[in-house]
Amino acid sequence: MGGEDERAEGVGESPAGEGRPRGGLAYEQARLAYTIIQALLEHTRVTQDLVALMAQVISDETQEALVNTPHWAAYMDSRRVLERTRQDVEQFAEVWTRLAEELEPPVAPGSQKAREAD
């Protein structure tokens, strides 16, 4: 009936009661977040390359006028924030890797899962 005790499919605690989601939901969420972040970072890198290329082909007068606009100031502020965020992204990648290892431990040679994978 939609009571508070009902849980979304695959979100209950693990059988050991460790509080980790069943069905790899946390792993899938982390993987999705990581994928989104990687796509955004790649887009940002490409955009920065494009801005640098455009800066090379415009005249000095136009370039000076451009860098004195609020748009350029916002762009530069955003770049600085992204540089500071880079450390956070690297930390997130480390956490994601540990989470993946916890939720999907390596298969031991000779185990049932290893035989199924063959």
Side-chain angles (χ1 to χ4, degrees), residues 6-91:
E6 287 185 15
R7 297 177 189 248
E9 184 176 327
V11 181
E13 288 187 2
S14 65
E18 297 170 4
R20 288 190 303 226
R22 284 185 293 192
L25 183 59
Y27 174 81
E28 289 303 317
Q29 289 171 333
R31 190 170 135 225
L32 177 60
Y34 183 80
T35 301
I36 292 168
I37 290 167
Q38 286 298 105
L40 292 171
L41 289 174
E42 177 62 14
H43 175 73
T44 300
R45 186 193 63 77
V46 170
T47 302
Q48 289 174 346
D49 290 349
L50 180 60
V51 168
L53 178 63
M54 290 169 57
Q56 292 174 5
V57 298
I58 63 175
S59 69
D60 290 340
E61 185 178 293
T62 303
Q63 190 173 12
E64 185 176 333
L66 175 65
V67 298
N68 290 318
T69 65
H71 299 13
W72 185 260
Y75 171 74
M76 294 306 293
D77 288 344
S78 177
R79 280 195 62 180
R80 284 188 283 275
V81 168
L82 187 60
E83 281 302 315
R84 289 191 299 268
T85 303
R86 184 177 309 276
Q87 292 174 345
D88 294 337
V89 170
E90 290 171 1
Q91 183 180 3

